[in-house]
Amino acid sequence: MYSVASHPISISFNQHHHHHHHNLTRHYKSISSPNFNNNNKNKNPFHSFTTPKSSLLSSPTISTQQNEPKQPYPLQHFHNLCNTGNLNEAFNFLQSNLNDVVSSSNLKPEELIGILLQACGRNKNIQVGRKIHDFVSSSPRFKNDVVLITRIVTMYSNCGSPNDSRFVFNSSLKKNLFLWNALLSCYSKNALFYDAVFMFVELISLAEFSPDNFTLPCVIKACAGLSDVKLGEAVHAFALKTKLFSDVFVGNALIAMYGKYGFVESAVKVFEKMPDRNLVSWNSIMYAYSENGVFEDGFCLFKGLLHGEEGLVPDVATMVTAIPMCAAQGEVKLGMVFHGLALKLGLFGELKVNNSLIDMYSKCGYLCEAQVLFDINQEKNVVSWNSMIGGYSKEGDFRGTFELLRKMQMEEKFKANEVTLLNVLPVCAEEIQFLKLKEIHGYALRHGFLQNDELVANAFVAGYAKCGSLDYAEGVFCDMESKSVSSWNAIIGGHAQNGFPRKALDFYLLMRDSGLDFDWFTIGSLLSACARLKSLPYGKEIHGFMLRNSLELDEFIGISLVSLYVQCGNMLPAKLFFDNMEEKSLVCWNTMINGFSQNELPCDALDIFRQMLSSKNQPDEISVIGALGACSQVSALRLGKELHCFATKAHLTEDSFVTCSLIDMYAKCGCMEQSQNIFNSVYQKDEASWNVLITGYGIHGHGLKAIELFKSMQNSGCRPDSITFIGLLMACNHAGLLTAGLEYLGQMQSLFGIKPKLEHYACVVDMLGRAGRLNEAMKLVNDIPDEPDSGIWSSLLSSCRIYGDLDIGEEVAKKLLKLGPNKAENYVLVSNLYAGLGKWDKVREVRQRMKDIGLQKDAGCSWIEIGGKVYRFLVGDGYLLESKKIQQTWIRLEKKINKIGYKPDTSCVLHELEEEEKVKILRSHSEKLAICFGLLNTAKGTTLRVCKNLRICVDCHNAIKLVSKVDKREIIVRDNKRFHHFKKGLCSCGDYW
């Protein structure tokens, strides 16, 4: 008798007398579809489904005949005892009443003992099984009965004792093929795959029996268990040679084996060449497709089953193979079709079908539908609860996940198992969830899950790392008796991704010393650690190892490599590697866009964004944020407006980060009115949106407006944070509101409980220095709790140059050069101090030191956007196509502004040159070149927007004020400190910058 069991697909052979019992559980894998003469791969292949005439849907009819004799009482009593599991009583009854049972039935004693042995196997009652074994062995009549001996071998196999099965086999004086098959089945069933293969070799080489269609499925299952495809192919060839391939069970076993290997085409060939196929054949090949991710062909196969000539009807195993394919693809509509089909076939009441539907709806994000199915399911099991819990966990619903877990624990018959914990742990990803994580940890310890399941232990390591408790993560890791590569990956990845990259590298060295080889996940974590450390040498070592060993890169590693070079500021190799990637995912594009933007290469970032638009990848929120950041850096207003339009059409402006980026972009393009309008349109304003607007007004010098916003922020119930005060102090600095700035610095700790950081002190030091209060600034620097950074010292040194304070300046210069001995900008500041005081010997000394070290001053650079394209100008740039026109334009402007009071301020040229040479250098400043280019290429009255990488000099500031007057247009210049709005001969900074 052939019976089809549910998923995972199981093939059973019931042995009676000379039949054999094999229970082969299949796990499959797959890639191309068998040809069903159907090229239409619609998403819904079941629109025309009708139940075949030979349907199994009709209720089976049980025929009862009135004149049929009743079962004799002794035999009926014996069967009742076996069926109810009272096997010890059944054995005693059979011993005492053997003759009565035999005489009242048509069964032989051997058959009755066989029935009892089968019951022992079903109930895994090895104790009674041993008694029967002893009884048979001591009986002269039964001890050499090969059928009974075969039953005993099978009984021990079902009870999980293959050694006993082998002992019985070896002790048997008579052996036939059935006995060999029974032991082969035992080895396969108990995962002793090597023993099964050796047994098969022994059978074909030593025994006089030829393997049959019951032998080969056991051997093929063993080959699959060993993952030895060559051996499996040899058995396949043997099946072809012995003409056993035509047997449906052999074919099914081969499909399962090739599916598990991932050799889908081979599995399909076996399926197509099978002379006879049953429902298990279809289920097996469909499962192979599903496990190998070939879902479209799997759906096509399902359609072929429905319309096939065999007239087969899907069973539970079919449905629980097909429905997960919908879950994997996110095809909830197709899943609903399967749901309807299950109802039509009468399979909806089956627990496994219901569980697969719950799982499908959960994984597709349809939690309400999953919850309805879960609630109406009266026969829940642990799988039902786990599927539902997993759905809430996947959505990141911490409260919903733990509420379900609590309800599950209240049910007496259901207790959380390892799968439950693996579903729950991913939702514990924040520090606030630490206590819940500890509770689950305690439960796992009490039930021995950590000791017995490596996956659970690894999940706890990852969970503690995400919650910021790396000491606990290390504790779990150290308590693991045996650590696999996955265990090391968990602890390395936990440290790399949660702010401890150095320790991640330390753990890697320990892993290497333990003798384990790393895998792709290890490499990904190490690259991430190197990126966070900005350790390019270590990162290059890992990259070099991959190249030397010709390791193929997957998408994750490719992105990690690009990210490494991006984080280390080395964009050239990042771009080369990116260009060579065949498949560029959205994450890759975003990494490059944001990488160029963060490394102050805004034009390259915008170019990558344009390339992305030309590709099949549609930009998302992260892409737009990166591109907006690039527009902000060069004040590219037109491009920023285009991005704003794109984001609005794509419904991306609903994202708070995109909104903040838009507010920031308009502010940094000099359009505070538009920035304010977007801010006003935000329904729920968070700290970030307030901070961006306050900072925007700050860099425009609108200190009073920034203070007004700060008060409004507090009145709205939004609490200021550290970033708020950076914007506020910056606003006070640029507006010259020294008293208010000092007051807010004092209030940070006393009123708001925010400890000032170096960034806050830097603002106030600059504020005091620009006001000429250098001694107070120096005192504040000395009083800072933390060690002052180069930003604070460089700010103070600039103030010393402005006010010509050599004593404090030289003291500050020593501090600055000690902190940054390899930074060109530090030497430039020191040189400028001496140049401003006319100490040219000192200037030459500082510049010689720069030359000896190999440092070069950053050139002044300005950008201007014309017609959606950004143009860059370097100081003294004489290689431009239009440089002659630009020079002529400035000469004409200079003549005009000379008439209304312009005189070149050569004190801005900190070089020992003749006055005429100094004037010539002033004319080549990058902002002047950009403005002339703008005047040449825009209509009269158009506002010019120029962005500069250095602070604007006094001469350029004076000149541009007058240009705005004679040309009657607004010119907006953003230097590296603030905005200058030039209009009608005046500047918004009030000449204070």
Side-chain angles (χ1 to χ4, degrees):
M1 180 189 299
Y2 308 135
S3 66
V4 182
S6 58
H7 177 82
I9 302 166
S10 175
I11 312 167
S12 302
F13 311 101
N14 289 340
Q15 176 186 345
H16 187 67
H17 288 287
H18 297 291
H19 292 85
H20 315 282
H21 183 79
H22 304 272
N23 190 357
L24 308 177
T25 305
R26 301 290 175 237
H27 299 283
Y28 318 116
K29 291 192 177 186
S30 330
I31 271 184
S32 71
S33 173
N35 183 12
F36 298 109
N37 298 320
N38 185 356
N39 297 320
N40 183 16
K41 295 187 179 181
N42 292 327
K43 291 290 182 185
N44 179 359
F46 315 121
H47 58 279
S48 60
F49 170 72
T50 54
T51 307
K53 292 182 180 179
S54 57
S55 173
L56 301 178
L57 293 175
S58 53
S59 301
T61 305
I62 301 173
S63 174
T64 56
Q65 309 220 350
Q66 297 293 333
N67 57 353
E68 193 171 325
K70 293 183 179 180
Q71 281 269 22
Y73 172 75
L75 181 61
Q76 183 181 4
H77 181 63
F78 174 71
H79 276 304
N80 288 340
L81 291 173
C82 289
N83 293 335
T84 56
N86 295 312
L87 302 183
N88 200 50
E89 190 177 341
F91 177 61
N92 293 333
F93 176 78
L94 191 62
Q95 277 187 304
S96 304
N97 304 277
L98 182 60
N99 293 331
D100 291 340
V101 176
V102 170
S103 62
S104 61
S105 69
N106 295 324
L107 299 177
K108 296 178 182 179
E110 295 89 333
E111 294 174 303
L112 295 170
I113 295 171
I115 291 170
L116 188 53
L117 283 167
Q118 284 182 314
C120 289
R122 278 196 311 272
N123 290 276
K124 302 193 183 317
N125 192 331
I126 197 169
Q127 290 79 14
V128 175
R130 291 192 193 283
K131 290 182 181 180
I132 302 169
H133 181 194
D134 292 339
F135 172 77
V136 170
S137 299
S138 60
S139 168
R141 176 178 176 181
F142 302 136
K143 67 179 181 179
N144 292 320
D145 189 306
V146 72
V147 176
L148 277 181
I149 292 170
T150 303
R151 294 281 193 198
I152 293 169
V153 168
T154 303
M155 179 273 296
Y156 279 128
S157 171
N158 291 335
C159 290
S161 183
N163 289 334
D164 284 310
S165 295
R166 180 74 195 200
F167 175 77
V168 174
F169 177 85
N170 290 338
S171 302
S172 176
L173 298 177
K174 294 182 180 179
K175 293 183 178 70
N176 59 13
L177 183 58
F178 307 139
L179 187 56
W180 281 87
N181 286 345
L183 188 59
L184 268 170
S185 175
C186 167
Y187 284 148
S188 291
K189 183 175 183 179
N190 288 280
L192 299 173
F193 303 124
Y194 281 110
D195 296 272
V197 172
F198 291 142
M199 192 77 183
F200 175 68
V201 173
E202 187 180 353
L203 170 64
I204 60 176
S205 58
L206 301 178
E208 67 274 19
F209 311 112
S210 297
D212 63 3
N213 56 342
F214 300 108
T215 316
L216 290 192
C218 300
V219 182
I220 294 167
K221 178 184 178 180
C223 294
L226 292 172
S227 297
D228 191 335
V229 67
K230 294 294 183 185
L231 187 59
E233 288 174 340
V235 177
H236 186 176
F238 180 88
L240 290 168
K241 186 177 180 180
T242 55
K243 305 205 185 318
L244 291 173
F245 175 77
S246 59
D247 184 83
V248 67
F249 300 111
V250 175
N252 291 348
L254 286 168
I255 292 171
M257 177 191 72
Y258 284 124
K260 182 177 180 182
Y261 294 147
F263 285 57
V264 183
E265 291 184 5
S266 298
V268 170
K269 286 179 181 178
V270 171
F271 180 80
E272 289 178 336
K273 291 182 182 298
M274 288 176 69
D276 297 308
R277 293 192 288 252
N278 60 12
L279 187 56
V280 175
S281 313
W282 288 86
N283 289 348
S284 300
I285 191 68
M286 195 183 309
Y287 190 69
Y289 279 127
S290 176
E291 285 297 286
N292 286 277
V294 192
F295 303 117
E296 289 297 326
D297 290 336
F299 294 137
C300 181
L301 186 77
F302 192 94
K303 185 177 180 181
L305 167 64
L306 296 180
H307 297 287
E309 296 177 358
E310 294 97 332
L312 299 172
V313 175
D315 66 354
V316 171
T318 319
M319 299 307 295
V320 298
T321 302
I323 294 171
M325 291 195 292
C326 301
Q329 286 286 83
E331 289 285 354
V332 70
K333 291 184 178 178
L334 192 54
M336 290 175 177
V337 173
F338 280 112
H339 187 171
L341 187 60
L343 287 166
K344 186 173 182 180
L345 294 173
L347 300 174
F348 180 71
E350 293 286 345
L351 180 58
K352 290 184 179 180
V353 175
N354 193 275
N355 285 346
S356 65
L357 285 169
I358 292 172
D359 184 64
M360 183 272 296
Y361 282 121
S362 295
K363 286 179 178 174
C364 292
Y366 283 67
L367 283 180
C368 291
E369 287 77 1
Q371 187 72 56
V372 169
L373 287 180
F374 179 79
D375 291 339
I376 65 174
N377 186 2
Q378 299 299 317
E379 298 295 328
K380 298 182 185 72
N381 62 5
V382 175
V383 176
S384 316
W385 286 93
N386 287 346
S387 297
M388 202 67 233
I389 289 171
Y392 279 97
S393 177
K394 183 175 180 288
E395 292 293 311
D397 187 344
F398 176 81
R399 187 182 298 276
T401 301
F402 274 88
E403 179 62 20
L404 262 179
L405 180 63
R406 184 186 65 80
K407 290 179 180 178
M408 179 184 182
Q409 293 299 90
M410 290 173 64
E411 297 276 348
E412 291 184 4
K413 55 183 178 178
F414 302 122
K415 294 299 175 187
N417 60 11
E418 295 91 334
V419 177
T420 318
L421 298 189
L422 290 172
N423 280 337
V424 170
L425 287 172
V427 86
C428 298
E430 296 180 14
E431 191 174 344
I432 195 172
Q433 292 144 5
F434 172 65
L435 291 178
K436 282 291 184 184
L437 186 58
K438 286 185 71 177
E439 286 181 28
I440 304 171
H441 189 183
Y443 178 88
L445 287 170
R446 290 193 300 275
H447 290 80
F449 294 149
L450 283 170
Q451 298 87 335
N452 300 325
D453 195 304
E454 180 193 318
L455 289 176
V456 174
N458 294 345
F460 273 108
V461 172
Y464 277 123
K466 288 176 185 174
C467 291
S469 303
L470 287 162
D471 289 342
Y472 278 85
E474 289 182 32
V476 175
F477 176 78
C478 293
D479 287 342
M480 296 171 69
E481 293 182 7
S482 60
K483 300 173 180 67
S484 67
V485 174
S486 298
S487 310
W488 285 98
N489 284 344
I491 195 70
I492 292 170
H495 283 87
Q497 295 159 20
N498 293 280
F500 293 89
R502 175 63 61 185
K503 206 155 189 184
L505 295 176
D506 292 340
F507 270 106
Y508 162 68
L509 295 175
L510 291 173
M511 174 188 177
R512 190 182 63 183
D513 293 341
S514 72
L516 286 173
D517 293 327
F518 54 78
D519 60 10
W520 280 122
F521 191 92
T522 325
I523 290 175
S525 295
L526 291 175
L527 289 172
S528 175
C530 292
R532 289 171 184 265
L533 285 170
K534 300 190 185 307
S535 175
L536 191 57
Y538 282 142
K540 283 184 173 180
E541 282 185 27
I542 298 167
H543 191 183
F545 173 85
M546 293 159 60
L547 293 173
R548 288 193 302 275
N549 291 275
S550 302
L551 298 178
E552 294 183 8
L553 304 181
D554 61 10
E555 182 188 335
F556 172 70
I557 297 300
I559 293 170
S560 298
L561 270 173
V562 171
S563 181
L564 165 72
Y565 287 111
V566 165
Q567 292 295 323
C568 294
N570 205 340
M571 291 305 300
L572 180 58
K575 180 68 164 60
L576 290 172
F577 196 78
F578 173 80
D579 289 340
N580 288 325
M581 293 176 73
E582 292 183 8
E583 294 292 330
K584 298 177 178 70
S585 68
L586 182 60
V587 178
C588 282
W589 287 101
N590 288 346
T591 302
M592 288 303 296
I593 292 167
N594 285 279
F596 277 121
S597 182
Q598 290 161 13
N599 284 285
E600 298 181 356
L601 295 167
C603 297
D604 297 279
L606 293 171
D607 284 342
I608 289 285
F609 186 82
R610 290 188 187 97
Q611 291 175 35
M612 183 184 184
L613 289 174
S614 302
S615 73
K616 61 183 179 181
N617 287 286
Q618 185 72 4
D620 65 356
E621 292 89 344
I622 297 172
S623 321
V624 171
I625 290 168
L628 285 170
C631 292
S632 299
Q633 289 179 46
V634 290
S635 295
L637 180 61
R638 176 171 169 175
L639 289 174
K641 285 181 175 180
E642 289 177 4
L643 278 166
H644 187 181
C645 183
F646 172 85
T648 302
K649 289 179 179 177
H651 304 290
L652 301 178
T653 51
E654 298 168 6
D655 184 89
S656 61
F657 292 103
V658 173
T659 304
C660 285
S661 296
L662 285 168
I663 296 171
D664 182 62
M665 183 273 295
Y666 280 113
K668 288 179 179 174
C669 288
C671 299
M672 282 311 302
E673 185 179 351
Q674 185 64 27
S675 190
Q676 180 75 59
N677 289 339
I678 294 174
F679 175 81
N680 293 340
S681 69
V682 177
Y683 180 67
Q684 286 188 324
K685 300 174 177 66
D686 57 8
E687 289 87 349
S689 54
W690 284 99
N691 291 345
V692 171
L693 193 65
I694 289 171
T695 304
Y697 277 110
I699 61 175
H700 281 270
H702 301 309
L704 295 176
K705 180 64 178 176
I707 291 171
E708 181 188 332
L709 274 172
F710 176 69
K711 292 175 180 176
S712 299
M713 178 183 185
Q714 294 175 76
N715 293 334
S716 72
C718 220
R719 186 172 176 81
D721 59 14
S722 177
I723 298 171
T724 316
F725 279 98
I726 291 175
L728 186 62
L729 291 171
M730 189 188 299
C732 293
N733 184 16
H734 292 313
L737 303 174
L738 180 57
T739 305
L742 292 170
E743 186 179 335
Y744 284 124
L745 180 68
Q747 288 179 358
M748 281 183 66
Q749 184 85 48
S750 59
L751 292 183
F752 299 96
I754 299 171
K755 182 183 176 183
K757 297 179 181 177
L758 289 176
E759 296 94 323
H760 303 99
Y761 287 113
C763 287
V764 179
V765 168
D766 191 47
M767 202 183 306
L768 289 166
R770 290 171 63 192
R773 296 162 67 168
L774 297 175
N775 289 319
E776 291 178 58
M778 193 66 179
K779 183 178 183 305
L780 178 60
V781 172
N782 292 328
D783 290 342
I784 294 174
D786 300 317
E787 186 69 26
D789 61 6
S790 58
I792 290 176
W793 292 119
S794 60
S795 172
L796 188 53
L797 186 58
S798 294
S799 298
C800 291
R801 181 187 67 80
I802 293 168
Y803 288 98
D805 194 320
L806 182 61
D807 294 333
I808 296 178
E810 287 190 322
E811 184 181 346
V812 172
K814 289 177 183 177
K815 299 277 188 183
L816 183 60
L817 293 178
K818 186 178 179 181
L819 272 176
N822 296 313
K823 290 185 176 181
E825 59 266 30
N826 294 343
Y827 290 93
V828 171
L829 284 171
V830 177
S831 172
N832 290 346
L833 170 70
Y834 289 126
L837 294 168
K839 296 184 175 293
W840 298 109
D841 290 338
K842 287 286 188 180
V843 171
R844 283 189 287 273
E845 184 182 324
V846 173
R847 291 186 176 175
Q848 186 60 44
R849 284 179 64 186
M850 285 182 68
K851 188 176 180 180
D852 294 341
I853 298 171
L855 299 177
Q856 194 170 2
K857 175 187 174 182
D858 288 339
C861 182
S862 294
W863 294 267
I864 187 169
E865 180 200 38
I866 305 290
K869 185 176 179 181
V870 177
Y871 297 87
R872 188 178 73 151
F873 297 86
L874 290 172
V875 61
D877 199 337
Y879 300 101
L880 291 168
L881 194 64
E882 299 186 43
S883 71
K884 195 169 184 180
K885 289 183 181 179
I886 291 171
Q887 291 168 14
Q888 290 172 350
T889 301
W890 181 254
I891 296 296
R892 286 198 300 270
L893 282 173
E894 201 174 80
K895 288 179 181 178
K896 288 182 180 180
I897 61 178
N898 280 336
K899 293 177 181 178
I900 58 173
Y902 171 69
K903 288 184 180 179
D905 190 338
T906 55
S907 66
C908 299
V909 182
L910 301 173
H911 296 277
E912 193 176 5
L913 298 169
E914 296 295 332
E915 283 296 304
E916 189 177 336
E917 287 295 319
K918 289 183 179 181
V919 171
K920 194 173 180 180
I921 288 174
L922 289 174
R923 287 173 181 161
S924 65
H925 279 194
S926 63
E927 57 266 54
K928 290 174 182 171
L929 299 177
I931 289 169
C932 290
F933 183 78
L935 294 172
L936 284 169
N937 293 280
T938 58
K940 196 164 183 65
T942 304
T943 300
L944 299 182
R945 301 173 191 276
V946 175
C947 185
K948 181 176 169 63
N949 67 333
L950 303 175
R951 185 178 288 197
I952 191 171
C953 72
V954 174
D955 180 74
C956 287
H957 193 270
N958 292 339
I960 297 169
K961 278 197 298 183
L962 298 174
V963 169
S964 71
K965 185 174 182 179
V966 298
D967 205 69
K968 296 179 181 179
R969 68 166 84 197
E970 184 178 5
I971 301 172
I972 300 172
V973 177
R974 189 184 107 202
D975 65 14
N976 68 345
K977 294 294 181 182
R978 59 162 298 156
F979 270 88
H980 300 266
H981 292 253
F982 298 98
K983 194 173 184 181
K984 297 179 180 179
L986 300 172
C987 181
S988 61
C989 72
D991 297 339
Y992 181 80
W993 80 99

